Amino acid sequence: MSQSMFSTWPVSISAPKAAVKPEQLTSTELVALCQQRLRPERMMFAELLRRYQGHVDKLLYHLAPDWPDRADLAQEVWIRVYRNMRRLNDPAKFKGWLGRITTNLFYDELRRRKRNRATLSLDAPLALEDGSIDWDVPASAPGPVDTMMTQEFYDQLHRAIADLPEVFRTTIVLREIQGLSYEEIAEMTGVSLGTVKSRIARARQRLQTELQPYLGN
C-alpha cells in the first residue's frame, strides 16, 4: 500500500545543471548577468574586468601619459562601473559606455588639477608647417600600410601624443582613439564645436611635424 502511495507522488529527480563558467560567456551575456542583481556577482564582474582592463588602461594612458596615478584612476573607473551596471540599457554597448565613464572620470580629475595650473591660451601662435594631413589611427588588424611601419614609429607616435599640450592631446585622443564625434567632444569638454575642430586640426598638424621623418614626402 505504501509503495503504491509513494509511486503517485510527482517526484522529479535530476542532476543539477552545471553552472556556466564566466569565461565561456560572450561579453554581452556577461554584462547582462552582471545587471541581474543590485550588485554584480563577484566572479562575473572579475571576468568582465579581466576582459576590459586593457581598454581602460590604454585610454587613460593616452589621456594622461604623464600622470603617475593612472592605476588609481583605473580602479575608480571600475568602482563606478560596479555601482552603475544596471543603468546601462544595452549590454551590447558596454565597451562604449565603459569608455565614457573612463573619459568622464579623467575630466573630473583634470578640472580639479587645473585649479592649480596656468591656463593654456589657444590664441597663442604655433610654429606649424603649412598644409594639411588626413590622420588615420592604425586598425587593430594590420593592413598593407601597417606592415611597413616599425616599432620605432609607434614609439615615436606615443611620445608625440604625450608631448602635445594637454587640451590638444585629450581632444585628439577622444576623436581618434575613443572615436567620439565632434559634437560629443564639444559637449563633453564644454567648448564650442569650432574650438574642437581647431584643436583637432592643430593636434594633427603637430603630430605630422613630429612624425615627418617616418612619413616620407
Side-chain angles (χ1 to χ4, degrees):
M1 179 176 179
S2 60
Q3 182 177 359
S4 62
M5 179 181 69
F6 285 119
S7 65
T8 61
W9 285 9
V11 178
S12 176
I13 301 176
S14 60
K17 294 182 179 180
V20 178
K21 295 181 180 180
E23 58 269 23
Q24 296 175 325
L25 299 170
T26 66
S27 294
T28 300
E29 292 170 338
L30 195 59
V31 173
L33 285 175
C34 285
Q35 292 181 307
Q36 288 182 356
R37 299 182 180 182
L38 184 61
R39 290 290 182 261
E41 195 275 327
R42 182 175 180 179
M43 289 182 61
M44 297 293 178
F45 191 78
E47 174 64 17
L48 200 63
L49 189 151
R50 184 191 69 79
R51 294 186 190 186
Y52 289 97
Q53 182 64 56
H55 176 63
V56 172
D57 290 342
K58 178 181 178 181
L59 187 52
L60 287 175
Y61 169 77
H62 286 294
L63 287 170
D66 55 343
W67 288 11
D69 56 348
R70 289 198 305 271
D72 294 336
L73 291 179
Q75 183 177 9
E76 180 61 28
V77 166
W78 287 107
I79 290 174
R80 293 189 181 188
V81 170
Y82 183 82
R83 291 174 176 171
N84 296 282
M85 281 291 296
R86 292 164 69 91
R87 295 186 179 183
L88 176 62
N89 294 325
D90 185 353
K93 296 181 179 180
F94 175 77
K95 187 174 183 180
W97 181 70
L98 175 62
R100 289 181 182 277
I101 288 179
T102 305
T103 304
N104 287 337
L105 176 64
F106 164 74
Y107 267 99
D108 288 345
E109 181 62 22
L110 183 61
R111 291 185 188 100
R112 285 193 289 267
R113 299 188 184 198
K114 274 187 174 181
R115 295 170 186 170
N116 299 321
R117 297 179 62 176
T119 302
L120 174 66
S121 173
L122 290 178
D123 295 328
L126 294 174
L128 303 176
E129 296 181 358
D130 293 333
S132 61
I133 182 175
D134 293 327
W135 187 258
D136 294 320
V137 176
S140 56
V145 177
D146 296 326
T147 58
M148 299 175 61
M149 296 182 176
T150 63
Q151 185 61 46
E152 182 181 359
F153 171 82
Y154 286 111
D155 291 341
Q156 183 61 32
L157 172 60
H158 289 312
R159 284 193 293 267
I161 292 175
D163 288 342
L164 288 171
E166 192 172 81
V167 292
F168 292 170
R169 183 178 68 241
T170 56
T171 307
I172 199 72
V173 167
L174 292 176
R175 174 61 179 171
E176 304 292 4
I177 296 177
Q178 184 63 12
L180 300 183
S181 67
Y182 291 108
E183 292 77 8
E184 289 174 320
I185 296 172
E187 181 179 358
M188 182 171 291
T189 57
V191 299
S192 68
L193 187 60
T195 299
V196 168
K197 292 180 178 180
S198 175
R199 290 179 180 181
I200 290 175
R202 294 189 182 195
R204 287 172 173 168
Q205 194 76 28
R206 292 188 63 148
L207 289 174
Q208 179 196 23
T209 301
E210 291 293 326
L211 298 172
Q212 193 60 46
Y214 303 90
L215 298 176
N217 296 331

